[in-house]
Amino acid sequence: AQSVTQLDSHVSVSEGTPVLLRCNYSSSYSPSLFWYVQHPNKGLQLLLKYTSAATLVKGINGFEAEFKKSETSFHLTKPSAHMSDAAEYFCVVSAPGYSTLTFGKGTMLLVSP
Amino acid sequence: GAVVSQHPSRVICKSGTSVKIECRSLDFQATTMFWYRQFPKKSLMLMATSNEGSKATYEQGVEKDKFLINHASLTLSTLTVTSAHPEDSSFYICSASLGADSYNEQFFGPGTRLTVL
């Protein structure tokens, strides 16, 4: 069994400040982990994924995430927020080699000028 | 990147009618397509996985006679909600992939908002 907990339903930041979106997972095996972003009226877009290679994963648009097995965490970070980063972000877990994706409930990132 | 479209984007129907939602991969051939349902303020729940030319595999608790899935070609899958009721109102999202495992990225459509009156 696997599950994902996104600790914040909403995160508000000012443009130019760092972003931290928190995600904890539960899995009975070595998981694959993903972050997806969903802009209004757009499909979900893959930001980055971890599949048992380097624990620090770099994604698109300056985002990165670090897999910490001891903390069962996969937090998403960005050094400097941009207005265009405002969207809903989903942390996702999957068993390696299997198609079933288990989604967190999402975190809405709000960016103010 | 790969593009997946859904049609319609929004649909309103009367209770008891059937509604068909199309999912198309526009610039690649999708061996596997997935259908998800998203409730307000909830995460996406996988409903079923379909491979081109074969029957869909439904997740536990999803009625296969209620949610008919057809994957007749490598670029098109359809979800038909039969005899829709207000509790079927939801946001339905499809995704398409080159393969059935998590090493193959799933490309998501923009979703279809279904409202059943």
Side-chain angles (χ1 to χ4, degrees):
Chain A
Q2 55 197 19
S3 65
V4 172
T5 302
Q6 291 184 243
L7 296 159
D8 306 292
S9 60
H10 292 82
V11 170
S12 295
V13 300
S14 298
E15 190 174 22
T17 63
V19 175
L20 170 63
L21 304 184
R22 298 182 294 166
C23 172
N24 286 99
Y25 69 91
S26 173
S27 177
S28 51
Y29 32 67
S30 296
S32 294
L33 291 157
F34 311 78
W35 275 98
Y36 281 87
V37 61
Q38 185 178 32
H39 287 93
N41 302 316
K42 294 278 183 74
L44 282 88
Q45 181 184 20
L46 180 66
L47 278 178
L48 49 81
K49 64 180 178 182
Y50 165 79
T51 55
S52 75
T55 57
L56 181 62
V57 182
K58 293 187 183 300
I60 61 172
N61 301 335
F63 285 95
E64 62 180 40
E66 186 172 7
F67 173 71
K68 292 186 176 181
K69 186 175 181 179
S70 61
E71 299 177 9
T72 61
S73 68
F74 190 59
H75 301 334
L76 182 70
T77 60
K78 183 174 180 177
S80 176
H82 193 272
M83 294 296 291
S84 60
D85 294 329
E88 182 115 35
Y89 292 79
F90 292 93
C91 182
V92 182
V93 65
S94 175
Y98 289 88
S99 60
T100 301
L101 301 181
T102 300
F103 282 76
K105 292 187 177 182
T107 298
M108 179 65 72
L109 176 63
L110 306 170
V111 183
S112 57
Chain B
V3 179
V4 176
S5 69
Q6 281 184 243
H7 178 78
S9 58
R10 294 175 181 271
V11 58
I12 300 173
C13 69
K14 293 182 179 180
S15 186
T17 61
S18 295
V19 174
K20 180 184 284 188
I21 302 169
E22 292 185 350
C23 176
R24 294 181 184 273
S25 57
L26 299 185
D27 51 2
F28 70 102
Q29 294 187 322
T31 305
T32 306
M33 287 187 167
F34 306 83
W35 286 95
Y36 295 84
R37 185 171 177 176
Q38 185 178 26
F39 294 96
K41 301 188 187 303
K42 299 273 189 181
S43 60
L44 278 72
M45 304 293 293
L46 179 66
M47 298 174 67
T49 303
S50 73
N51 292 296
E52 185 264 340
S54 61
K55 290 185 178 180
T57 301
Y58 289 80
E59 295 299 302
Q60 191 172 8
V62 178
E63 299 176 61
K64 61 181 179 181
D65 295 330
K66 174 116 182 117
F67 298 100
L68 300 179
I69 291 173
N70 183 278
H71 191 168
S73 78
L74 285 171
T75 58
L76 173 65
S77 176
T78 60
L79 168 67
T80 301
V81 183
T82 62
S83 186
H85 291 283
E87 58 265 30
D88 299 324
S89 298
S90 194
F91 195 54
Y92 292 89
I93 301 174
C94 74
S95 70
S97 173
L98 293 171
D101 64 48
S102 62
Y103 298 119
N104 290 290
E105 181 178 345
Q106 292 186 29
F107 300 96
F108 287 82
T112 297
R113 174 77 60 195
L114 170 63
T115 303
V116 184
L117 302 177

